[in-house]
Each structure stands twice: as C-alpha cells, then as structure tokens.
Amino acid sequence: MNSQTPEMMEEEFEELSNEDIRVEDKRRFTDDGERVEVKINGKSKEPVDPPKSPEVVKLENELSEITIRCRAAEDKLIEVQKRFEEERQNLESETAEMRARMKKSLEQQADQSRFSFLLSLLPVLDNLNLAIQAAKQDASLENLMVGVEGTARSFEQALVSVGVEQVKSVGEKFDPTIHEAVDIVDTGEENSGIISAEYSRGYTFNEKLLRPARVQVGSGK
C-alpha cells in the first residue's frame, strides 16, 4: 500500500518536471506525407530508408526499362506521323498538278478535234462556191445538179473523216434501234419488214446513234 502523502507526491512531480525529458521521435513522415527529421536523444538525424528487397529492385528496373521503351516508341510514332503528313501533302500537290495537266491535255485534244473537223469542212465550202459560180455561168439544171452532188459528196467525206457513218436503209431489214418507220406500204409477203424507201439518212458516231434513218417499210398484208 502506498504510504506517500499527497504532499510527497506533488514534490516528486515537481522534481521530475524540472529534469530534461528526452524524446525519441521515430516518425519519418507527417500525416500529410511530408518527410521530417528523426530526433534521437534530442539530436537530429537523417532518416534512413529500409533496404529494398530483390523483388522490388527487379520490378523497379523493369518499370524503368518499360518507360524508356514507351518514350522511344512515342518518339518513333511522332516521326512516322510527321513523315506521313509530308507525304500526304506531296501527294495532294502532285495530284493537283496531274489534274491540271490532264485538263489541259483534254482541252488541247478537243481543240485539235474541232480544228480538224472545221478543216475538213473547208472543201465542202469550196465545192459549194464552185457550184454557185458554175450556175451563174450556165444556169442549166444539169450543171446545177452536178455542183450540188459534188458538194454533198465532199460533205459526207468530211463527216466520215471524223468518225460519222451513214446508216444503211433501203433493202435492209427494218431495225427499230437505227430506223424510224414513217409509213408502211404493201409490198407483198416476200418483202415484209424490208425498207423500201428512205426519207432522211441516219448517222452514227463511233458506233453511237446520232440520228435514226426515217424510212418506209414494206408489209405483206
């Protein structure tokens, strides 16, 4: 049983409070995660991290290697993207230049085609002028017919030179894709469906129908 009186206990407490109290603070981090000094016997000492296990060291090394590889791959990707953009711009420039060259070439071809066709029409005009002069000197119907026929032949030759061909009609079987039946005439059973007359000629250009021939078709009824 404690025999100390309250007065004696109070005196011991005062003696203890007058002595230096040594504090050993083993904390290395505050509650907020900040690193602090370690005090041992009242003296400051740098904190010492515990040694890392081989597994931790291995994982850290692998993580560092992966990080380096990722950065290298990212740099490579940026370089590839840059080259792609340069090639795309070059291709767009080349494509625009190619379109311009093709357009110019087509325009030149069209101009050349028109030039050749107009050149082929000049003999037609020459023959027509000759026919007019001949008719003035000799107004006979025979001379006039010769001049007109010569003009028509030269005009047909001009059309042929640019790819225009005449559709065959008289004596041919009626074909609704290239012929247009204007009327029908009784010609007997043996000439049924055969073209017996032509009212206007039909023409094709590069195997494409320009105008159907307007014809008369025989009927067996």
Side-chain angles (χ1 to χ4, degrees):
M1 186 172 179
N2 192 355
S3 59
Q4 291 180 339
T5 62
E7 291 78 6
M8 296 175 63
M9 293 178 64
E10 184 177 355
E11 291 178 357
E12 291 180 358
F13 179 76
E14 290 179 355
E15 292 178 356
L16 289 174
S17 62
N18 293 328
E19 295 181 357
D20 293 335
I21 301 176
R22 298 179 179 179
V23 179
E24 184 177 357
D25 187 358
K26 296 184 179 181
R27 291 183 304 166
R28 294 197 177 104
F29 297 94
T30 64
D31 294 338
D32 296 332
E34 296 181 357
R35 197 167 184 176
V36 298
E37 296 181 348
V38 177
K39 295 182 178 180
I40 299 177
N41 297 328
K43 297 181 179 180
S44 299
K45 185 177 181 181
E46 291 294 330
V48 179
D49 294 331
K52 299 179 181 179
S53 65
E55 291 79 5
V56 173
V57 173
K58 181 180 179 181
L59 290 175
E60 289 181 348
N61 293 335
E62 291 178 353
L63 179 60
S64 177
E65 184 177 356
I66 292 173
T67 302
I68 293 173
R69 290 181 178 180
C70 289
R71 289 177 180 175
E74 184 179 0
D75 294 339
K76 186 67 175 179
L77 179 61
I78 294 174
E79 180 66 21
V80 170
Q81 182 67 24
K82 181 180 178 181
R83 291 182 180 180
F84 172 77
E85 291 296 331
E86 292 177 353
E87 293 296 332
R88 183 180 63 82
Q89 293 176 2
N90 294 335
L91 180 60
E92 289 179 353
S93 178
E94 292 177 359
T95 303
E97 293 177 359
M98 183 178 296
R99 285 198 298 264
R101 288 196 300 267
M102 290 180 63
K103 181 180 179 181
K104 184 177 180 180
S105 178
L106 291 174
E107 290 176 351
Q108 290 176 349
Q109 292 179 10
D111 290 340
Q112 183 62 37
S113 298
R114 287 191 290 266
F115 179 84
S116 299
F117 179 67
L118 293 175
L119 185 62
S120 66
L121 290 181
L122 294 180
V124 180
L125 182 60
D126 293 338
N127 291 334
L128 184 59
N129 288 328
L130 290 174
I132 293 173
Q133 292 177 4
K136 289 180 179 180
Q137 296 175 2
D138 187 353
S140 65
L141 181 60
E142 182 179 356
N143 289 334
L144 182 60
M145 286 297 298
V146 170
V148 172
E149 288 176 354
T151 302
R153 283 195 299 270
S154 63
F155 187 75
E156 288 179 352
Q157 291 175 358
L159 293 178
V160 171
S161 67
V162 295
V164 177
E165 296 183 0
Q166 180 181 344
V167 174
K168 297 180 180 180
S169 58
V170 178
E172 301 290 328
K173 184 73 174 179
F174 176 77
D175 184 354
T177 60
I178 56 175
H179 300 135
E180 179 184 351
V182 176
D183 61 4
I184 299 175
V185 62
D186 186 5
T187 57
E189 190 67 28
E190 66 278 4
N191 291 322
S192 179
I194 302 300
I195 297 174
S196 56
E198 180 184 69
Y199 297 111
S200 63
R201 292 180 180 177
Y203 295 95
T204 60
F205 177 68
N206 292 335
E207 299 182 354
K208 183 178 180 180
L209 185 66
L210 281 176
R211 187 183 71 181
R214 301 178 74 248
V215 299
Q216 180 187 76
V217 184
S219 174
K221 296 182 180 180

